[in-house]
Amino acid sequence: PRRISKEMVKLGALALIALVAIALAAQPAQAFGMAPSSAVFRSAKMQQATSQMLAQGLPLRPAARGNVRLSMSGGTANRIADKMTPAVAATLIDSVDVFIFDCDGVIWKGDSLIPGVEPILDKLRAAGKKIFFVTNNSTKSRKGYKAKFDSLGLNVQPEEIFSSSFSAAAYLEQIKFKDTGKKVYIVGERGISEELDLIGVPWCGGEGDADKTIELKSGFALPHDNTVGAVICGFDRFINYHKIQYAQLCINENPGCLFIATNLDAVTHLTDAQEWAGNGAMVGALKGCTGQEPIVVGKPSPLMIDYLCDKYSLKPERICMVGDRLDTDVVFGNSNGCKSILVLSGVTTEEKYKDPSNQVIATEYC
């Protein structure tokens, strides 16, 4: 994977801080904005992902009137506008009530806080904007993420945090899975099990299967629980052959067993030094041996936006999604009627964003 320098991350964060500060200084009663964006899929796999999104009808671009996309910096469906200016930031601030931030690559990288994040959040809160944090990383529950925010010195409330582990549990509640009397097999870490415990859904696997091995010998068949009614696959640093085999047995042999993925992220930020294989690798293993497509509950699925809008009576057009990924964060905003901002502090570079082969365009970028 391409190495991301700390200098590049700092530069992107400082650019955002400067724009926020200028905009808020000009309009102290309002909040912040960003510049128009688009990103690029160079690899064959990314091109395939784009094709899949198009086939599913997921918008890769913001809402448009005619051929003009609703970018405040003058971009169109066929032309990426320049980075956001202070004037554009001030206008966007006034058009948004809620900012949703991705976490990995936007708020932090690994265990390192991205420079300038705290003053940005403080200025937005002072301007009366609601803030939420939506992450596809399922290794922690909301309680676990609260502890991480605390460790980084960020004052974030538990009700402002939404992880894909929570989304998986929310989906099971939505379909009344508990009423079936069945249990869940987890490929993943404690974030999923903690969220399932909170809603009273029984589970097996997870971290309990981290050290399990399979001795392949004549006549051996791995037994599995036929009361498992769903397999949830989340990011798992302890993935092993036992987990893959157990999960495929549940999906392939238990009638009606659901295959749920917390996300399909290709890479993630386990450290601030490089990109690491993401949950897409785990989900891909199960897709390969089951032939099944998963139900995806993390970004860009609408589940979290629907939940927030219902719970807080929010209007999607007054929400802005801020993220570093085109295929999850930007598509998440675009496909749910929100504004979308691409920040260059994470996996997407400006070179990729402006490449002619790029299909995903955000409202603004910086």
Side-chain angles (χ1 to χ4, degrees), residues 79 137 293 302 318 325 343 357:
R79 185 181 74 83
N137 191 327
E293 290 291 331
R318 301 284 297 182
R325 295 176 182 269
V343 292
S357 65

Side-chain angles (χ1 to χ4, degrees), residues 179-316:
D179 295 348
T180 68
K182 295 183 178 181
K183 65 181 66 170
V184 171
Y185 182 72
I186 298 173
V187 177
E189 301 185 26
R190 70 174 58 191
I192 299 171
S193 57
E194 287 180 354
E195 293 291 351
L196 294 183
D197 286 342
L198 290 175
I199 63 172
V201 169
W203 56 272
C204 57
E207 293 188 336
D209 284 355
D211 298 323
K212 290 190 176 180
T213 60
I214 292 178
E215 184 182 355
L216 296 176
K217 56 186 178 181
S218 179
F220 176 74
L222 181 68
H224 74 284
D225 190 336
N226 60 14
T227 67
V228 169
V231 171
I232 297 178
C233 183
F235 181 74
D236 192 339
R237 290 168 293 180
F238 310 101
I239 188 76
N240 57 43
Y241 191 62
H242 176 278
K243 293 182 181 182
I244 295 171
Q245 173 65 1
Y246 199 103
Q248 77 88 5
L249 288 171
C250 293
I251 294 169
N252 284 338
E253 298 188 9
N254 291 359
C257 183
L258 302 173
F259 175 18
I260 300 169
T262 59
N263 67 86
L264 302 177
D265 290 2
V267 294
T268 189
H269 294 107
L270 299 182
T271 69
D272 60 1
Q274 65 180 183
E275 295 170 359
W276 299 78
N279 192 46
M282 292 79 189
V283 175
L286 297 187
K287 287 173 61 176
C289 58
T290 64
Q292 302 294 316
E293 290 291 331
I295 299 163
V296 182
V297 295
K299 296 174 291 186
S301 164
L303 193 145
M304 283 191 268
I305 283 285
D306 290 346
Y307 180 89
L308 287 171
C309 287
D310 290 344
K311 184 175 178 65
Y312 296 100
S313 300
L314 305 178
K315 296 179 179 179

Side-chain angles (χ1 to χ4, degrees), residues 2 51 126 212 235 342:
R2 178 182 174 277
S51 298
K212 290 190 176 180
F235 181 74
L342 175 70

Side-chain angles (χ1 to χ4, degrees), residues 16-62:
L16 178 55
I17 294 169
L19 288 167
V20 173
I22 293 171
L24 288 174
Q27 299 187 14
Q30 301 170 348
F32 100 123
M34 311 228 126
S37 127
S38 144
V40 89
F41 293 141
R42 284 184 176 274
S43 70
K45 288 185 178 179
M46 282 300 195
Q47 295 284 7
Q48 182 181 14
T50 302
S51 298
Q52 290 173 347
M53 283 181 240
L54 287 169
Q56 295 170 29
L58 293 177
L60 303 182
R61 301 162 187 268

Side-chain angles (χ1 to χ4, degrees), residues 336-348:
N336 290 292
C338 309
K339 295 178 176 65
S340 57
I341 293 172
L342 175 70
V343 292
L344 303 177
S345 54
V347 301
T348 304

